[in-house]
Amino acid sequence: MFKRTVRPTHRLARRLALPPLLVLLALPAWAQSSATFTVTATVLPACTVIGGGALAFGIVTPGNQSDGSVNVTAICTVGTPYTLSLSAGTGTGATMTQRRMTSGADTLVYGLYRDAGRTQPWGDGTGGSSTVASTGTGLSQSFTVYGRVPSSATATVGVYLDTITVTATY
């Protein structure tokens, strides 16, 4: 009969290997550290004005009024209060209530208004005119400028032109 003998070094090695394995299993997860940071942004009030196409009265006939309109657009940051004003134009002698288109040295009187009835002159708030006020939505906001050449307007034959500046004040 053979007698099996276990060498003490193997038995000792088994006993010594098991406890370190148990210690590794009992260790907590790796340690963690965390931090925070702040995220900031500043939104400033801003407006962009986009002029419309031409306000074309077409052919003006003496004794007949001619009406026309054009849209202007403002895009302003959300919550920004603003006003839109119109200049008197570039015609010699123009005022907020009597603008003047020119053809050479000749002029043709006309008016710009806030309302379709053409009773509220739109200008810069001076000389009997008023401005249009609104609050920005972040989206495009459209405003109609109503124009009229009165039936009393007289002018020499020609092609008349004026340039109006739209200004957003915010």
Side-chain angles (χ1 to χ4, degrees):
M1 278 197 128
F2 288 101
K3 192 175 193 189
R4 184 172 178 209
T5 57
V6 176
R7 292 186 184 159
T9 56
H10 290 292
R11 197 177 295 155
L12 181 60
R14 283 185 197 158
R15 284 185 188 162
L16 291 176
L18 189 57
L21 181 60
L22 291 176
V23 169
L24 286 176
L25 293 175
L27 286 178
W30 293 102
Q32 294 183 2
S33 176
S34 62
T36 62
F37 60 92
T38 303
V39 179
T40 66
T42 301
V43 177
L44 297 175
C47 288
T48 300
V49 179
I50 303 164
L55 191 162
F57 290 108
I59 297 171
V60 175
T61 307
N64 295 312
Q65 75 183 20
S66 294
D67 290 342
S69 64
V70 66
N71 287 329
V72 295
T73 302
I75 303 170
C76 299
T77 51
V78 176
T80 301
Y82 65 96
T83 58
L84 292 178
S85 61
L86 304 180
S87 69
T90 57
T92 303
T95 67
M96 290 297 159
T97 55
Q98 282 203 331
R99 290 172 167 88
R100 297 180 185 274
M101 290 182 268
T102 58
S103 177
D106 297 320
T107 62
L108 177 61
V109 173
Y110 72 102
L112 297 177
Y113 304 90
R114 299 173 30 170
D115 63 313
R118 291 163 174 84
T119 60
Q120 301 171 5
W122 189 346
D124 64 1
T126 64
S129 71
S130 59
T131 60
V132 171
S134 191
T135 301
T137 63
L139 302 173
S140 190
Q141 293 175 287
S142 183
F143 302 89
T144 303
V145 179
Y146 299 93
R148 173 171 284 164
V149 175
S151 59
S152 61
T154 59
T156 306
V157 172
V159 176
Y160 290 81
L161 177 70
D162 193 11
T163 302
I164 300 295
T165 301
V166 183
T167 303
T169 303
Y170 53 95

